[in-house]
Amino acid sequence: MLAQPVALNQDQHKDLKVVQKFSNEILHERHIAPLMLQEFTAAAPHFPIFFLKAPEAEVYSPVAVLGLKDGQNLFMKDGEWEGQYLPAGIRAYPFTLAQASEEQLVLCINEQADNVSTTEGQALFNADGKPTEFLEGVNSFFKDYIDANGISRNIMSQLAEMGLFRADGLQYRDLAGNERRLNGFYVIDREKFEKLTDEQFLAVRKFGVLPAIYAHFMSLDRIGTLIARLPVEAKA
């Protein structure tokens, strides 16, 4: 299990460096990865896109599905990532964000990540304790990520108010002909979407979300891609 990220601190982490290579360890045993609406058109040709619902609120979070059961990533082979699109929330590892308060997010780092070092890579802080150009780039990435994620969440709240989400487990028939189901997912209800009034449809178009919705519908056909990647013993 990966160590928990900690808040980045210039005193505690003044000697840390990050090797600029992607670390696959964040993807081991991960069967879902977070997405933003803005990523749907890039992700849809490769993964099924579903939504998870917060336990006690009408808050929906989109995810790319990477495996057909908990702990299974079908795009990892011999420890290497074989996927053709890497979600933005994964791409930034060993950095991540954590909620410090209701309105404040803090930049965190996994000190034990395999691309974190004290001897090689890009320094995070200069000798005077100020962020390096590399760390400023990381901060800029997350600023853009926060802005895009906020837009994504607001739009999904609007879609939820229209009643467009419905529970729908990931159902499939494996290559041995067995019926399988992975529960806990939601989709945008295509029938309800197609029955939107002209006013509602125009509102959705105004959100700029139509390409993402159609990409979501298209992505559901990618379940076959996951089945094809099942290990040989699971196909028998």
Side-chain angles (χ1 to χ4, degrees):
M1 180 179 293
L2 294 177
Q4 290 298 311
V6 297
L8 194 62
N9 179 285
Q10 67 182 53
D11 294 322
Q12 183 179 347
H13 301 125
K14 60 183 174 62
D15 297 324
L16 283 193
K17 304 177 188 294
V18 173
V19 180
Q20 288 185 283
K21 65 170 186 175
F22 177 69
S23 170
N24 284 322
E25 66 181 13
I26 187 64
L27 289 161
H28 288 297
E29 300 183 353
R30 176 187 283 270
H31 77 291
I32 58 174
L35 283 178
M36 296 180 291
L37 286 170
Q38 296 88 334
E39 297 182 88
F40 279 25
T41 55
H46 310 293
F47 319 111
I49 298 171
F50 283 81
F51 298 85
L52 300 179
K53 180 179 176 295
E56 298 179 358
E58 290 292 314
V59 176
Y60 296 86
S61 302
V63 293
V65 179
L66 310 178
L68 292 169
K69 62 182 180 180
D70 289 352
Q72 179 191 66
N73 188 335
L74 293 170
F75 292 89
M76 294 293 292
K77 184 176 181 180
D78 299 326
E80 296 297 322
W81 169 251
E82 293 188 332
Q84 293 180 300
Y85 179 76
L86 198 60
I90 300 293
R91 207 179 304 148
Y93 185 78
F95 299 99
T96 188
L97 294 173
Q99 200 83 37
S101 65
E102 189 172 332
E103 297 182 354
Q104 184 182 11
L105 292 166
V106 295
L107 183 63
C108 297
I109 188 170
N110 187 325
E111 301 165 310
Q112 298 179 32
D114 61 8
N115 57 347
V116 170
S117 172
T118 56
T119 59
E120 61 175 328
Q122 295 285 338
L124 302 183
F125 297 97
N126 294 317
D128 59 4
K130 293 181 180 179
T132 61
E133 184 176 346
F134 171 74
L135 184 54
E136 291 287 7
V138 173
N139 283 321
S140 179
F141 169 86
F142 276 106
K143 181 181 182 300
D144 292 342
Y145 181 83
I146 291 169
D147 291 344
N149 195 51
I151 293 170
S152 180
R153 289 172 63 87
N154 288 338
I155 291 173
M156 282 185 290
S157 294
Q158 298 292 330
L159 298 181
E161 287 181 12
M162 291 180 172
L164 289 180
F165 291 104
R166 67 174 172 84
D168 186 16
L170 192 161
Q171 302 175 66
Y172 67 99
R173 187 187 297 271
D174 66 23
L175 296 186
N178 301 307
E179 292 286 348
R180 305 287 188 185
R181 182 180 179 90
L182 190 61
N183 292 314
F185 291 121
Y186 287 76
V187 297
I188 293 175
D189 190 315
R190 187 158 197 158
E191 184 176 346
K192 287 184 179 179
F193 173 74
E194 291 176 349
K195 289 182 178 178
L196 290 175
T197 65
D198 290 347
E199 183 180 358
Q200 289 173 320
F201 185 83
L202 287 172
V204 172
R205 189 177 73 174
K206 187 177 180 180
F207 298 157
V209 75
L210 287 179
I213 291 176
Y214 290 125
H216 162 60
F217 293 149
M218 181 189 77
S219 80
L220 300 179
D221 292 334
R222 299 282 76 77
I223 294 171
T225 301
L226 298 182
I227 296 169
R229 298 184 72 89
L230 285 168
V232 174
E233 59 271 19
K235 297 178 185 178

